[in-house]
Amino acid sequence: MSAINPISSNIFNAEFLNSPAASLAAWLSIFGAAITLVTIVIRALFKYRKSHDVILKKSGIPAFVLNFFLIRISLKRLPTITWAEKTVTVLFSLIFLYSIYLFGPALIQTIKTPPDNTLLYWKSSGESFYISNKMAIEATILSTPNWKISKDDCVQPPSASAEKYKSLTIEHKEDLCKLLTTNEGKTYIDKSVKKFIKDKFFIYSLTPMTMFILLWLFLGFMLTIHYSKKARKYILTEQKHAIHWANGEFKTEGIYAIYQELDR
């Protein structure tokens, strides 16, 4: 099998390794294509589309907001904010805040995990900790760990070093020492470390993505309400100016009572 190489390896050997000029040209082409793609996307995001009514632009609604958050404000009639829209906005804001509470600490603790360690927790209390074959330490978010215990601490008589793990309960200390000093514990830690390395990919990708999507939805609903009000105010202002121009001064009463909104 030594005579067989992947075709990609052959291409790299022939073009890139043996021809620096070709390699540079290829990388410049890739970089140029990437820049072109980014430029096209940015222009599309910051440009008003044909489907965007001119009233939206005159109302001061940025094209980026309309495009990025996929906001659609119907102007077939005067924009109105219903209780359903307000309820959905509040609901998604609560879901987003709950996602921060649920996923935020785990994501931070995962990022802070030392090399060759895994992140575990006690089922009884839900407290998290880092552990390797040599040491276990409390997993915190911002504060300094309250305890840490090494393999040597478990096999030596209690001494001044006990100060490092005095905040541990007896049950938790026994659990950690079993993991640190027994063959069964070592096997469990080794498997957990290997599994954690694989799990980190999903934690780093899925957790931020989930939180971003929830934030995007929440901001989208909130901005829809905000700019619907802005478009409504612009339309009413233009109508009031038109009526004033045609009929002169008028009171915002009766059929014109709707224009009282402009005075709030």
Side-chain angles (χ1 to χ4, degrees):
M1 299 297 291
S2 61
I4 300 176
N5 278 325
I7 189 168
S8 59
S9 175
N10 182 47
I11 293 174
F12 273 94
N13 287 335
E15 297 295 334
F16 292 101
L17 297 181
N18 297 330
S19 179
S23 174
L24 178 60
W27 281 113
L28 289 176
S29 299
I30 294 173
F31 181 74
I35 292 296
T36 302
L37 179 61
V38 171
T39 302
I40 292 173
V41 171
I42 291 176
R43 285 180 178 175
L45 285 175
F46 286 88
K47 182 179 180 181
Y48 287 99
R49 300 178 183 177
K50 292 182 179 180
S51 59
H52 294 152
D53 195 290
V54 67
I55 292 177
L56 299 179
K57 183 177 182 179
K58 291 182 177 180
S59 299
I61 305 176
F64 172 80
V65 172
L66 294 172
N67 293 324
F68 183 76
F69 292 99
L70 304 179
I71 291 177
R72 296 291 179 268
I73 299 176
S74 176
L75 297 176
K76 293 181 179 180
R77 58 181 183 178
L78 190 64
T80 303
I81 307 302
T82 65
W83 282 106
E85 291 171 313
K86 294 179 181 178
T87 301
V88 170
T89 302
V90 172
L91 177 62
F92 272 95
S93 68
L94 294 176
I95 293 175
F96 171 66
L97 292 175
Y98 180 71
S99 72
I100 294 178
Y101 168 78
L102 187 65
F103 300 121
L107 179 61
I108 295 174
Q109 289 176 346
T110 300
I111 294 173
K112 292 176 62 178
T113 304
D116 300 321
N117 276 249
T118 184
L119 179 63
L120 301 177
Y121 71 96
W122 282 288
K123 293 181 180 179
S124 58
S125 63
E127 296 177 73
S128 303
F129 60 93
Y130 306 120
I131 189 168
S132 66
N133 286 319
K134 296 181 179 180
M135 178 175 290
I137 185 171
E138 181 187 22
T140 60
I141 299 175
L142 298 175
S143 60
T144 303
N146 290 320
W147 59 263
K148 61 179 177 179
I149 184 170
S150 67
K151 184 176 182 180
D152 293 337
D153 294 328
C154 293
V155 298
Q156 293 177 355
S159 61
S161 63
E163 185 74 16
K164 298 184 296 183
Y165 56 85
K166 67 176 184 178
S167 58
L168 274 174
T169 64
I170 297 175
E171 292 79 11
H172 286 174
K173 179 179 179 298
E174 290 178 350
D175 290 340
L176 293 173
C177 284
K178 285 180 182 178
L179 287 172
L180 292 169
T181 60
T182 64
N183 290 331
E184 182 182 357
K186 182 179 183 303
T187 301
Y188 182 83
I189 292 174
D190 289 340
K191 289 182 179 179
S192 296
V193 170
K194 292 179 181 179
K195 184 176 183 299
F196 184 67
I197 293 174
K198 297 178 181 178
D199 291 343
K200 281 197 294 186
F201 171 78
F202 296 98
I203 296 173
Y204 288 154
S205 57
L206 293 181
T207 300
M209 182 60 67
T210 300
M211 296 174 68
F212 172 78
I213 291 174
L214 291 173
L215 176 62
W216 179 79
L217 288 170
F218 161 60
L219 290 178
F221 286 119
M222 186 180 70
L223 290 172
T224 297
I225 291 177
H226 172 72
Y227 285 115
S228 291
K229 290 181 178 179
K230 198 166 185 178
R232 179 185 178 91
K233 183 176 181 179
Y234 172 80
I235 293 171
L236 289 176
T237 300
E238 291 299 303
Q239 289 177 348
K240 186 177 180 180
H241 288 164
I243 295 172
H244 184 271
W245 181 83
N247 302 327
E249 197 69 37
F250 65 95
K251 294 184 179 181
T252 55
E253 300 173 351
I255 61 173
Y256 298 129
I258 191 172
Y259 299 109
Q260 293 176 3
E261 293 182 23
L262 300 177
D263 300 325
R264 296 173 188 172

